[in-house]
């Protein structure tokens, strides 16, 4: 019997810190794989400064062979903004969860987006505060049972899930790239992340990619149910696709002009 | 762009905030990240007016959390980055400064104290002593200078950048609303011409080469997985802080040798104390003063020696005992009696100090 070869790790991953520390089946690893491959393909490992938040994303503090800074809950965007402003040649990537980005860190993200900061924000939406044990997050879906909404999220009491990319595309100026991808379509997710990085490299504006990601541990799901949730439940509220694409806009302008 | 902001010595008559902006230019600060709050606003105003000439940068952020964290980012990128704040802004600033403490980032912050708690007044106090020396969830591994006039505001702001980059602890210049807004004479100078060592900055991230290929990646974190791991890291911080202390500690004292009473004060309150001691000595009172210039690290040994000789320590501060806490901690076990003169949120005049001394001596 032939042993199937181990799929290659992205070159920009740090071998010494593998196997990684996420739970089996976690979405973070997949998003970071797309990021790693995008970094490789763009040849920017020497320029990337990777910032991660508190939350499960913090487990990636030594994930890459890239300079990395792990900061406080919700503050990754301003830290990366500070680096980018000080060193415009750096390719700054802020990585966080939906709690870090849309609750505690919303001020940081909204204002960086409004200023069209030339940084790339990558946000893993797993609908929960995962690291702290599965509490309700801004992205918990109506009816979804979580630790602080044990009978299911009631939108009457707690509002509807935050639509990050939709909001960010509305408040960013020209040159911003905004998309929502999913770990159930890695090819597409990688292409979004790649464009988000390219957008920064070209100095166009803010780049933002939300990635729908699984948290089997807090969802208490097996492999099958995890995928069912990502593929069937999540897209009911979270529409995958590009929301704002300066590359397309440029192409259109050229065709029309 | 390489033009020097100051050459030779320049006499000027300006506000403290303007002095700070010039000091930051002279110190070679590269970038300011800031958020408006009175009474520090004009630091940003003067900075933004001057920087196009000298190729420096500025970002106005959405709040102090962001101002602090972008400053942290600027330092990580290897620039001499600074910010300025006061009162409730200083409260918010403690979160990024905790990170600077954990990662040993030489972030420079100018604090122009205002009244507290909370929004309180926009004018003056010395109520941010505890917050600035001990703020954040940690052990207060930071350097805090307390200037008392515009010349010192200039001198110590320059010094703050050098000390910060030399020892890699977050460093504060703890001014106040009076110093911020008052106009007085000052001599501006280029520190290099005075032979003041300009400690170079250094990149934490973005060094030349490809990480993992021809150099190790810089991985910086403020979260530790085990108690022991954090304990180890902190032991090193404490050891570095202790080693640095005798090199960094600054204080002034006068007439303490035969004194029955020594007045302890810092910042602008010290100005009234200095004049009061002169006046009281002329009237035959055996009075001296001790003034901590660094509130953190605190000149503990030096003050304890005095507290073992004199009968009374009169602590004069525009706060309800924040300096007194530092003093009591420093002199624990010494024989001097502590006499409080606490006036939170208001100034203290020479006359008031003279009257107080006559009352208690
Ligand atoms: C200021 C602050 N508040 C709260 C916490 C506790 N905390 C740590 S992780 C976390 C939740 C993270 O959730 P999310 O950002 O969605 O990321 P995930 O763990 O799901 O990847 C919280 C609330 C903290 N570390 N700091
Ligand atoms: S708790 Fe959830 S998000 Fe965190 S590592 Fe485990 S699976 Fe991933």
């Amino acid at each position: 019997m032939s042993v199937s070869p181990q799929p290659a790790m992205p070159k920009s991953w740090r071998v010494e810190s593998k196997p990684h520390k996420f739970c089996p089946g976690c979405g973070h690893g997949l998003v970071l794989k797309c990021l790693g491959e995008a970094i490789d393909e763009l040849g920017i490992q020497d320029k990337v400064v990777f910032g991660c938040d508190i939350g499960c994303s913090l487990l990636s503090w030594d994930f890459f062979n890239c300079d990395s800074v792990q900061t406080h809950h919700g503050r990754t965007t301003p830290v990366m903004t500070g680096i980018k402003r000080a060193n415009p040649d750096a390719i700054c990537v802020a990585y966080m969860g939906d709690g870090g980005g849309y609750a505690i860190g919303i001020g940081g993200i909204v204002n960086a987006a409004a200023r069209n900061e030339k940084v790339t924000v990558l946000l893993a939406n797993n609908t929960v505060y995962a690291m702290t044990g599965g509490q309700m997050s801004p992205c918990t879906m109506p009816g979804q049972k979580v630790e602080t909404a044990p009978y299911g999220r009631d939108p009457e009491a707690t509002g509807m899930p935050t639509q990050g990319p939709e909001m960010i595309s509305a408040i960013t100026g020209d040159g911003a790239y905004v998309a929502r991808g999913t770990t159930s379509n890695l090819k597409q997710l990688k292409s979004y992340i790649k464009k988000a990085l390219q957008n920064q490299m070209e100095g166009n504006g803010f780049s933002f990619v939300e990635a729908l990601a699984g948290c089997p541990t807090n969802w208490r799901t097996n492999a099958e149910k995890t995928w069912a949730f990502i593929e069937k439940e999540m897209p009911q509220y979270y529409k995958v696709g590009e929301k704002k694409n300066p590359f397309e806009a440029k192409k259109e302008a050229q065709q029309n002009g | 762009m390489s033009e020097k902001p100051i050459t030779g010595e320049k006499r000027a008559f300006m506000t403290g905030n303007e002095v700070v902006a010039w000091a930051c230019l002279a110190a070679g600060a590269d970038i300011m990240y800031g958020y408006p709050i009175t009474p520090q606003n004009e630091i940003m105003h003067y900075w933004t007016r001057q920087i196009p000439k000298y190729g420096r940068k500025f970002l106005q952020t959405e709040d102090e959390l962001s101002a602090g964290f972008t400053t942290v980012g600027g330092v990580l990128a290897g620039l001499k980055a600074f910010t300025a704040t006061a009162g409730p802004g200083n409260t918010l600033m403690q979160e990024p400064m905790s990170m600077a403490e954990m990662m040993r980032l030489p972030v420079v912050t100018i604090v122009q104290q205002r009244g507290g708690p909370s929004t309180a007044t926009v004018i003056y106090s010395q109520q941010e002593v505890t917050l600035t020396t001990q703020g954040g969830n940690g052990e207060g591994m930071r350097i805090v200078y307390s200037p008392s006039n515009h010349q010192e505001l200039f001198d110590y702001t320059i010094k703050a950048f050098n000390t910060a980059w030399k020892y890699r602890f977050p460093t504060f210049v703890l001014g106040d609303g009076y110093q911020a807004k008052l106009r007085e004479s000052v001599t501006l100078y280029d520190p290099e011409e005075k032979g003041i060592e300009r400690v170079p900055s250094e990149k934490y991230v973005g060094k030349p080469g490809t990480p993992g290929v021809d150099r190790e990646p810089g991985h910086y974190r403020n979260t530790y997985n085990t108690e022991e791991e954090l304990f180890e890291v902190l032991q090193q911080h404490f050891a570095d802080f202790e080693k640095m202390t005798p090199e960094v500690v600054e204080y002034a004292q006068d007439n303490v040798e035969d004194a029955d009473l020594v007045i302890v004060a810092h910042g602008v309150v010290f100005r009234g104390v200095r004049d009061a001691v002169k006046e009281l000595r002329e009237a035959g009172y055996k009075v001296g003063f001790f003034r901590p210039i660094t509130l953190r690290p605190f000149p503990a040994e030096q003050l304890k020696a005095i507290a073992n000789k004199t009968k009374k320590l009169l602590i004069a501060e525009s706060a309800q005992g924040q300096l007194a806490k530092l003093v009591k901690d420093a002199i624990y076990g010494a024989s001097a009696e502590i006499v409080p003169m606490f006036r939170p949120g208001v100034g203290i005049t020479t006359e008031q100090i003279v009257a107080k001394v006559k009352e208690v001596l």
Side-chain angles (χ1 to χ4, degrees):
Chain A
M1 210 178 89
S2 68
V3 179
S4 59
Q6 198 57 17
M9 275 190 205
K11 243 179 55 224
S12 51
W13 276 23
R14 184 167 175 79
V15 179
E16 291 88 328
S17 59
K18 305 295 168 297
H20 62 59
K21 307 169 191 102
F22 300 108
C23 308
C26 174
H28 278 293
L30 296 174
V31 181
L32 293 171
K33 180 154 191 187
C34 291
L35 175 62
E37 288 176 355
I39 290 172
D40 289 354
E41 286 168 26
L42 293 168
I44 51 173
Q45 188 183 333
D46 57 336
K47 290 206 174 62
V48 167
V49 179
F50 175 78
C52 58
D53 209 75
I54 294 271
C56 290
S57 80
L58 88 85
L59 301 173
S60 65
W61 71 276
D62 61 350
F63 202 93
F64 292 100
N65 265 330
C66 294
D67 289 336
S68 310
V69 182
Q70 178 266 320
T71 178
H72 293 350
H73 196 33
R75 314 299 180 223
T76 312
T77 313
V79 172
M80 289 299 118
T81 296
I83 292 176
K84 184 73 183 183
R85 289 271 177 162
N87 176 9
D89 293 334
I91 305 294
C92 294
V93 182
Y95 183 59
M96 64 200 70
D98 48 316
Y102 296 147
I104 190 169
I106 188 74
I109 279 206
V110 162
N111 285 283
R115 289 191 303 260
N116 229 350
E117 294 289 349
K118 294 174 183 66
V119 297
T120 300
V121 175
L122 194 50
L123 186 148
N125 172 4
N126 56 18
T127 73
V128 285
Y129 282 76
M131 173 140 279
T132 41
Q135 298 86 2
M136 191 179 86
S137 87
C139 292
T140 300
M141 302 207 297
Q144 187 183 349
K145 287 187 179 144
V146 288
E147 291 298 331
T148 48
Y151 309 108
R153 179 176 190 167
D154 172 11
E156 260 308 295
T158 61
M160 288 294 282
T162 299
Q163 300 282 353
E166 288 74 5
M167 169 183 66
I168 286 166
S169 60
I171 61 171
T172 38
D174 290 345
Y177 176 85
V178 186
R180 182 187 284 117
T182 171
T183 48
S184 69
N185 186 346
L186 292 177
K187 224 172 119 186
Q188 181 196 52
L189 177 60
K190 182 169 83 181
S191 81
Y192 290 170
I193 293 175
K194 206 167 154 183
K195 279 188 244 182
L197 291 170
Q198 263 167 330
N199 199 46
Q200 183 180 167
M201 288 159 73
E202 292 181 16
N204 295 331
F206 192 67
S207 322
F208 184 81
V209 178
E210 178 187 296
L212 304 182
C215 174
T217 302
N218 284 296
W219 295 353
R220 303 199 178 107
T221 46
N222 60 18
E224 197 184 332
K225 285 199 176 136
T226 302
W227 283 111
F229 195 82
I230 296 174
E231 287 181 322
K232 297 207 183 78
E233 307 275 326
M234 292 182 85
Q236 288 177 23
Y237 290 93
Y238 302 118
K239 304 279 176 265
V240 169
E242 291 180 314
K243 315 288 168 191
K244 209 165 181 174
N245 185 339
F247 303 108
E248 285 297 322
K250 244 188 231 168
K251 233 193 286 170
E252 260 171 46
Q254 275 165 0
Q255 275 162 5
N256 297 339
Chain B
M1 282 296 180
S2 63
E3 189 191 341
K4 280 202 171 183
I6 304 162
T7 47
E9 287 197 352
K10 295 248 168 2
R11 280 298 275 175
F13 186 68
M14 51 172 67
T15 66
N17 281 336
E18 200 171 352
V19 169
V20 169
W22 278 104
C24 291
L25 284 171
D30 299 295
I31 186 164
M32 175 182 190
Y33 302 88
Y35 186 77
I37 188 164
T38 308
Q40 71 73 30
N41 294 317
E42 296 82 9
I43 297 176
M44 301 190 301
H45 303 177
Y46 294 122
W47 177 258
T48 49
R49 270 160 193 68
Q50 295 301 328
I51 55 175
K53 278 187 247 166
Y54 308 110
R56 318 288 175 90
K57 298 186 196 182
F58 175 75
L59 172 67
Q60 183 172 325
T61 59
E62 61 274 15
D63 56 26
E64 288 83 354
L65 290 172
S66 191
F69 281 108
T70 47
T71 310
V72 157
V75 165
L76 282 162
L79 292 192
K80 290 201 171 167
F82 75 102
T83 187
T85 192
N90 193 4
T91 304
L92 291 176
M93 210 55 99
Q94 293 312 314
E95 193 195 320
M97 291 316 134
S98 284
M99 169 152 154
E101 244 180 81
M102 183 79 255
M103 292 188 187
R104 301 286 303 268
L105 304 177
V107 172
V108 172
T109 305
I110 316 298
V111 178
Q112 301 288 33
Q113 297 167 93
R114 56 189 266 172
S118 200
T119 302
T121 70
V122 299
I123 309 163
Y124 160 84
S125 85
Q126 295 187 320
Q127 292 172 284
E128 292 166 55
V129 166
T130 303
L131 181 66
T132 310
T133 55
Q134 288 292 338
N137 55 328
E139 311 293 338
M141 296 289 104
R142 53 237 340 249
I143 299 158
V144 181
Y145 291 111
S146 174
S148 72
N149 58 45
H150 282 20
Q151 193 59 55
E152 290 186 355
L153 212 45
F154 188 75
D155 299 344
Y156 284 104
T157 299
I158 290 170
K159 196 174 236 180
F161 285 95
N162 289 328
T163 321
W165 279 93
K166 186 166 178 188
Y167 298 102
R168 308 286 171 110
F169 287 105
T171 301
F172 297 79
V173 177
L174 188 64
D176 60 67
Y178 289 169
Q179 298 192 54
K181 301 283 188 177
L182 183 95
R183 254 176 224 285
E184 71 181 9
S185 312
V186 58
T187 303
L188 309 178
Y189 53 82
D190 172 46
E192 266 170 3
E193 287 175 22
K194 289 242 175 205
I196 296 172
E197 181 201 6
R198 195 176 288 187
V199 180
S201 57
E202 201 189 324
K203 285 180 176 185
Y204 287 71
V205 298
K207 289 182 183 167
T210 303
V213 178
D214 38 39
R215 69 167 170 92
E216 275 297 293
H219 286 148
Y220 302 94
R221 59 170 167 164
N222 65 6
T223 308
Y224 290 89
N225 299 335
T226 67
E227 294 168 347
E228 290 74 14
E229 211 178 354
L230 174 65
F231 183 80
E232 285 286 304
V233 169
L234 292 181
Q235 294 317 304
Q236 189 59 51
H237 293 186
F238 302 148
D240 292 349
F241 198 82
E242 206 171 302
K243 183 157 170 272
M244 166 194 82
T245 294
E247 295 168 35
V248 167
V249 145
E250 288 190 48
Y251 62 97
Q253 64 180 45
D254 198 17
N255 281 310
V256 293
E257 287 311 317
D258 63 339
D260 292 329
L261 179 146
V262 172
I263 310 170
V264 187
H266 75 101
V268 293
V269 174
F270 166 70
R271 295 160 73 131
V273 168
R274 185 194 48 207
D275 294 350
V277 167
K278 198 162 164 245
E279 198 179 316
L280 286 160
R281 275 277 164 184
E282 278 162 11
Y285 290 88
K286 286 189 174 171
V287 177
F289 70 72
F290 182 88
R291 171 205 171 196
I293 297 173
T294 47
L295 294 176
R296 183 102 181 124
F298 196 81
E301 274 171 44
Q302 294 83 353
L303 182 57
K304 188 161 184 176
I306 292 170
N308 271 323
K309 276 199 294 192
T310 193
K311 292 192 192 102
K312 292 183 180 188
L313 288 184
L314 173 70
I315 302 174
E317 58 173 308
S318 297
Q320 191 70 9
Q322 300 195 22
L323 172 65
K325 270 190 212 152
L326 295 175
V327 170
K328 286 176 194 166
D329 189 31
I331 66 160
Y332 181 72
S335 53
E337 177 199 345
I338 286 183
V339 183
M341 184 177 184
F342 301 158
R343 294 177 53 75
V346 292
I348 303 180
T349 63
T350 304
E351 294 72 34
Q352 287 166 330
I353 296 160
V354 168
K356 181 77 183 176
V357 171
K358 288 184 176 168
E359 177 196 319
V360 301
L361 207 63

